[in-house]
Amino acid sequence: MTRVLVIGGGIAGLWTAVKAADAGHEVEVVTKAELVDGNTRHAQGGIAAALFPDDSAERHYADTIAAGAGLSDPAAVRVLCDEGPARVRDLIRFGVAFDRGDSGLERGLEAAHSRARILHAGGDATGAAIESALVATVKRRAVRVHENTMLVDLLVEYGRAVGARLLAASGDLVDVRADAVVLATGGSGCLYRHTTNPDVATGDGVAAAWRAGAEVADLEFVQFHPTAIAAPGTPLISEAVRGEGAVLVDEQGERFMPDVDPRAELAPRDVVARAVWRRMSEQDGRPVFLDATGLGARFLAERFPGLDAACREAGYDWSAVPVPITPAAHYAMGGVVSDLDGRTTLPGLFAVGETARTGVHGANRLASNSLLEAAVFADRAARALDAPWPAPAAPATSTAPPATSFSAPSAGTSSRRAGQPAAARGVSADSSCASAADLVDRAALQELMWEHAGLARSAEGLGAASAQLDAWLAPEVGDRRSAEDRNLLDLARLTVSAALARTESVGAHFRTDDPRADTAAAAAAPITALTPAFEEAA
């Protein structure tokens, strides 16, 4: 029997736990907050899969490859699209009640998909429905769950992950050993001032894996969702709303997306987000608007009940008036490098979900592929938990395009990683002697990343960000906040380094100093503020 420690309570972690328990393994799940508080429950758009007669895995594959801007791993995309339908059927067996109409499962269309293949549950509550079903499924298994328990570092012995150091709910540091460790801690949206992510998304798994010596890659590829409400908390408005016919207009009420891309509002997210950013820059940072008034009050309330409530809570009757929106950090395409079975470059360590860099997303994630990726690769990881570890542990295909990747020193050493200052190690040897002014401030870090490593980057801005990040020290880990700040500082440094190294614009990574960059976008100033009213309210 293999003792498996799963760190993370979203779809990827819970799926792994269920399948591992069913295979007879001894499973423990650790989650930083309550079991239902992960990123999964916030997913509105749905889950994509080629389930219908007019669709095919080949079409889904082609759409995913196109969205990835040439940097997706074809083998990983093939696995995603071929195995995706079976995983959706598993979700139905787990109890997820996807929306149905008179003819069976209902499906929607989202940006850059050539077919309507997006399944939803509860209209815009797909993530919550999946999370609820998986939590109930886990509770029916012999799985131990530790809530309000945070990953601090991985335990590594003789080049192998053997467990994790955890910050328990009691505030104590506890070492838990395991035969296999599965990282499913989600993304790192809290690197940025404006994000659609909950406050648990601080990249804990990616940072800990890097400190332990695992390879990470593609951290420069951060997806910014184009339509978050320009209000405190930046609530997300799902792409599915545009799929139903909502349009983007500027402050004069004029549509602008048809002039940017023939697919207009249904162009890939990076295209739409940059177009929104550009028009906001032309408007001195004021938001543009999502106009869903043509869809009607009844349709909006029935099809998008959660969004209808969110808009009204923010003070907008979106059936009557357009809603001000802004881009916000949404999803990390990069992460811990993993093969087709979730294995990382550190033996004993698996990574699944948004924590992993499977190669599926390339430079830009196709809408509604994230929940599917989590299910498909978590399922494969669960089947590989007690399999012999390949040597060397590397991506399982040689067809993957080059990636900007970093490896850290082995755990327990104090040597600095090549190309990084000593402070990039995470916990500085002399941080206990640092003044408060030397320690990283989360709000300042988020502002710095938003301004210089957000939707538009340049060598000058990234260089300034790098200098400031190098000047900050991480705090000593004593509670959740300090542990998260250490992780954010590590990831900010790695993200900026990756963005500096990739000098050309591709997908979600846009360099204004790339000679091929759109001149209008290059001339526009980065947005560092939204409307004064919004900033004061926030």
Side-chain angles (χ1 to χ4, degrees):
M1 178 185 293
T2 300
R3 184 178 183 188
V4 181
L5 178 62
V6 178
I7 305 174
I11 180 175
L14 296 181
W15 192 295
T16 305
V18 168
K19 291 302 185 81
D22 287 349
H25 301 303
E26 180 184 340
V27 182
E28 291 188 68
V29 173
V30 169
T31 180
K32 185 162 66 171
E34 302 297 320
L35 194 57
V36 297
D37 286 342
N39 247 356
T40 294
R41 73 180 179 91
H42 294 272
Q44 301 169 351
I47 186 168
L51 289 163
F52 302 94
D54 64 345
D55 200 4
S56 66
E58 193 63 37
R59 285 185 181 275
H60 190 187
Y61 171 91
D63 292 346
T64 302
I65 290 289
L71 293 183
S72 296
D73 180 342
V77 177
R78 180 67 65 192
V79 165
L80 176 85
C81 299
D82 287 351
E83 298 183 12
R87 301 292 77 81
V88 171
R89 294 185 185 100
D90 282 343
L91 284 172
I92 294 172
R93 285 192 289 273
F94 289 151
V96 178
F98 289 109
D99 295 341
R100 292 180 176 270
D102 295 338
S103 58
L105 287 172
E106 289 188 340
R107 51 177 169 156
L109 177 68
E110 293 187 7
H113 286 272
S114 62
R115 290 289 187 274
R117 62 169 69 99
I118 317 301
L119 302 183
H120 300 88
D124 54 9
T126 309
I130 290 174
E131 182 79 5
S132 177
L134 286 173
V135 167
T137 304
V138 163
K139 289 181 177 179
R140 293 193 294 269
R141 268 66 174 177
V143 174
R144 294 180 61 191
V145 178
H146 305 277
E147 296 179 306
N148 300 303
T149 300
M150 180 183 177
L151 169 67
V152 174
D153 276 307
L154 294 168
L155 304 178
V156 179
E157 294 177 1
Y158 304 105
R160 183 181 182 87
V162 296
R165 176 160 294 172
L166 306 173
L167 181 64
S170 64
D172 297 326
L173 289 174
V174 179
D175 288 351
V176 176
R177 298 181 69 85
D179 300 306
V181 179
V182 183
L183 295 177
T185 55
S188 52
C190 289
L191 277 173
Y192 292 92
R193 178 183 181 186
H194 302 299
T195 180
T196 63
N197 288 219
D199 64 4
V200 295
T202 51
D204 306 328
V206 180
W210 173 75
R211 289 193 296 266
E215 185 180 354
V216 299
D218 291 350
L219 299 182
E220 69 271 35
F221 296 125
V222 178
Q223 187 170 78
F224 290 81
H225 201 289
T227 54
I229 302 175
T234 51
L236 173 69
I237 296 185
S238 168
E239 196 164 89
V241 179
R242 283 176 280 135
E244 296 289 356
V247 298
L248 295 171
V249 298
D250 60 21
E251 62 183 356
Q252 303 301 320
E254 299 293 329
R255 286 183 70 188
F256 54 90
M257 282 308 304
D259 294 332
V260 175
D261 190 283
R263 294 161 291 188
E265 282 79 8
L266 294 183
R269 281 182 179 170
D270 64 306
V271 175
V272 180
R274 280 195 298 275
V276 170
W277 162 77
R278 187 180 311 169
R279 188 54 57 100
M280 288 177 66
S281 296
E282 294 167 354
Q283 298 176 173
D284 296 324
R286 295 184 296 277
V288 300
F289 296 85
L290 179 75
D291 187 351
T293 57
L295 300 181
R298 181 175 179 180
F299 177 84
L300 289 170
E302 293 179 353
R303 173 68 177 84
F304 304 109
L307 291 176
D308 188 67
C311 286
R312 294 178 186 280
E313 185 176 343
Y316 302 103
D317 177 359
W318 67 332
S319 69
V321 297
V323 177
I325 56 96
T326 178
H330 184 57
Y331 188 87
M333 274 78 78
V336 185
V337 174
S338 64
D339 69 8
L340 299 182
D341 293 312
R343 290 178 292 232
T344 73
T345 58
L346 177 63
L349 180 67
F350 293 78
V352 291
E354 194 174 353
T355 303
R357 183 269 188 192
T358 62
V360 161
H361 305 304
N364 191 42
R365 177 176 68 93
L366 182 66
S368 290
N369 265 355
S370 55
L371 291 173
L372 189 71
E373 179 202 33
V376 166
F377 289 94
D379 198 85
R380 294 176 69 92
R383 296 198 299 269
L385 287 170
D386 57 358
W389 202 270
T397 174
S398 61
T399 61
T404 304
S405 60
F406 301 101
S407 295
S410 299
T413 70
S414 60
S415 59
R416 67 183 68 182
R417 181 175 61 77
Q420 282 281 14
R425 297 194 301 272
V427 176
S428 171
D430 60 354
S431 60
S432 60
C433 301
S435 70
D438 296 323
L439 295 177
V440 62
D441 175 79
R442 184 181 299 195
L445 180 147
Q446 292 168 329
E447 176 66 30
L448 187 76
M449 292 295 288
W450 178 257
E451 181 173 357
H452 294 307
L455 273 159
R457 295 108 179 247
S458 68
E460 181 181 3
L462 291 167
S466 181
Q468 179 58 71
L469 291 167
D470 288 348
W472 280 326
L473 295 174
E476 293 287 349
V477 175
D479 55 15
R480 170 176 159 175
R481 180 81 178 190
S482 58
E484 289 177 337
D485 286 349
R486 177 177 67 141
N487 292 333
L488 289 171
L489 182 57
D490 279 346
L491 287 175
R493 288 171 172 151
L494 290 167
T495 300
V496 167
S497 293
L500 274 167
R502 192 177 292 277
T503 57
E504 77 283 3
S505 294
V506 57
H509 174 64
F510 183 73
R511 289 284 298 255
T512 60
D513 49 1
D514 181 349
R516 301 171 303 159
D518 182 282
T519 54
I527 298 171
T528 58
L530 301 174
T531 59
F534 170 40
E535 291 304 321
E536 290 168 7

